[in-house]
Amino acid sequence: MPKIIFINADGATREVVASTGQSVMEAALAAGVSGIVAECNGAAACATCHCYFDSNAGCTGEIGEHENEMLGFTASERTADSRLSCQVRVVAEMEGMTIRVPSVQ
Ligand code: FES
């Protein structure tokens, strides 16, 4: 049950205790984190769950081919830290990790 810290574009922070195995998107929505829309409910078909993860964290898994394509449709700038949060599974190693939520989805 790692604690993940979400940081919104306005600087507001929210600590979320997430369950391992669920997606980061599911954990965020369940906790009421604002700024994540998730229109397709985790099907990797909308890119409205875009978040910025620490690309050096080493615990977010690889970007799949389809996710990589969908990251071309994010409303906010894609960076090296960009991921679709529905495609990233919560793992224990995420304890204390910060995830930034973009200003628009
Ligand atoms: S919820 Fe639609 S791509 Fe993640």
Side-chain angles (χ1 to χ4, degrees):
M1 300 279 279
K3 186 193 305 172
I4 299 172
I5 301 138
F6 289 87
I7 306 174
N8 283 91
D10 65 1
T13 63
R14 183 82 180 256
E15 292 187 359
V16 173
V17 177
S19 298
T20 55
Q22 68 180 161
S23 72
V24 169
M25 176 274 280
E26 290 168 331
L29 290 189
V33 172
S34 62
I36 297 175
V37 180
E39 269 175 13
C40 77
N41 202 29
C46 71
T48 63
C49 64
H50 175 213
C51 289
Y52 300 111
F53 291 68
D54 179 356
S55 55
N56 296 316
C59 59
T60 55
E62 295 293 316
I63 299 178
E65 186 178 335
H66 184 63
E67 180 185 358
N68 189 43
E69 289 174 13
M70 287 306 298
L71 283 167
F73 298 97
T74 56
S76 296
E77 179 189 10
R78 178 181 183 174
T79 74
D81 291 340
S82 290
R83 294 295 304 267
L84 298 181
S85 60
C86 71
Q87 301 301 301
V88 180
R89 293 283 145 196
V90 173
V91 294
E93 290 76 13
M94 288 180 177
E95 174 65 34
M97 183 179 197
T98 57
I99 296 173
R100 292 180 296 116
V101 180
S103 56
V104 293
Q105 292 284 3

